[in-house]
Amino acid sequence: MRYVDRAGRAGRAGLVAADHRLLAALRGCGRQSGVAAAAGALSRSGEHSALWIAAGLVCAKADQERRREWLRATALVGGAHLASIGVKWVVRRPRPRLPALEPLVRTAGRYSFPSSHATGAAAAAVAFGALRPAGRRLVAPLAAAMCVSRLVVGVHYPTDVAAGALFGALVARLGVAWLPVPSGGPGCTTRTRRCDGGLHG
């Protein structure tokens, strides 16, 4: 039993050390002005999931045939974001502090786990991707870049980002059943059954 306890403590210590090393490496990339500017812009746009909520509302306006679906998907993203904040207040993990490497952006809150940016980004990738394949191809890379940006600006540990992304994807995956996606699959319209990839049925 003691051996198991020691092995468990050693495993946790190793994970913490790896978390710090990866964060330090990615935060070090922020010394390059171009990288810092891009990461900062992505991080600021993802505050309160603003980028994803705005994108969902724009799509709801532009895609009148699926207006209700886009609004529901946008609400799903916002709900996932709010849920992540609730988890933060339960876990209360402090944000990272790296010697000689100050954060590149200010944060809305003082707790770190899980990353709400990553939660909203992953939820948007899943929810919007369920409506349009083109949305999946566009949102997924941007969501991944936003997740990485939180490490480059130095305000989250890698485990914060990974947990946030998993949480957001799970919430959105469970909520996709709430989206009335046509039976022909993502990309089909309810009236014409015309799909991005061709005709069905």
Side-chain angles (χ1 to χ4, degrees):
M1 190 67 179
R2 289 180 181 176
Y3 174 78
V4 173
D5 290 342
R6 285 197 298 270
R9 286 195 296 270
R12 288 191 294 272
L15 178 61
V16 170
D19 220 18
H20 282 79
R21 284 196 300 269
L22 182 55
L23 171 60
L26 288 170
R27 174 61 186 84
C29 295
R31 290 192 175 101
Q32 303 177 39
S33 59
V35 174
L42 274 172
S43 281
R44 284 186 288 271
S45 69
E47 201 68 63
H48 306 300
S49 288
L51 174 64
W52 312 116
I53 292 172
L57 293 177
V58 168
C59 288
K61 179 69 174 178
D63 190 1
Q64 287 295 312
E65 182 130 20
R66 291 193 169 183
R67 181 175 181 273
R68 183 176 61 171
E69 290 91 329
W70 282 111
L71 290 176
R72 287 188 175 185
T74 304
L76 191 57
V77 173
H81 178 88
L82 290 175
S84 74
I85 294 175
V87 175
K88 277 185 177 180
W89 279 94
V90 172
V91 177
R92 294 175 177 261
R93 184 185 194 182
R95 291 195 184 269
R97 290 291 180 264
L98 295 174
L101 287 173
E102 289 295 318
L104 297 178
V105 296
R106 293 182 177 180
T107 57
R110 53 182 173 170
Y111 299 128
S112 183
F113 183 96
S115 165
S116 295
H117 278 67
T119 298
V126 173
F128 295 166
L131 297 179
R132 293 288 183 186
R136 186 184 307 117
R137 292 190 292 269
L138 176 64
V139 175
L142 184 58
M146 182 172 290
C147 289
V148 174
S149 78
R150 299 301 281 172
L151 303 174
V152 174
V153 299
V155 295
H156 280 292
Y157 295 103
T159 46
D160 299 334
V161 172
L166 287 172
F167 182 66
L170 177 61
V171 170
R173 180 59 62 190
L174 293 174
V176 160
W178 181 50
L179 304 178
V181 178
S183 59
C188 298
T189 64
T190 53
R191 295 188 189 126
T192 67
R193 307 283 294 163
R194 186 181 303 276
C195 302
D196 293 344
L199 296 176
H200 285 248

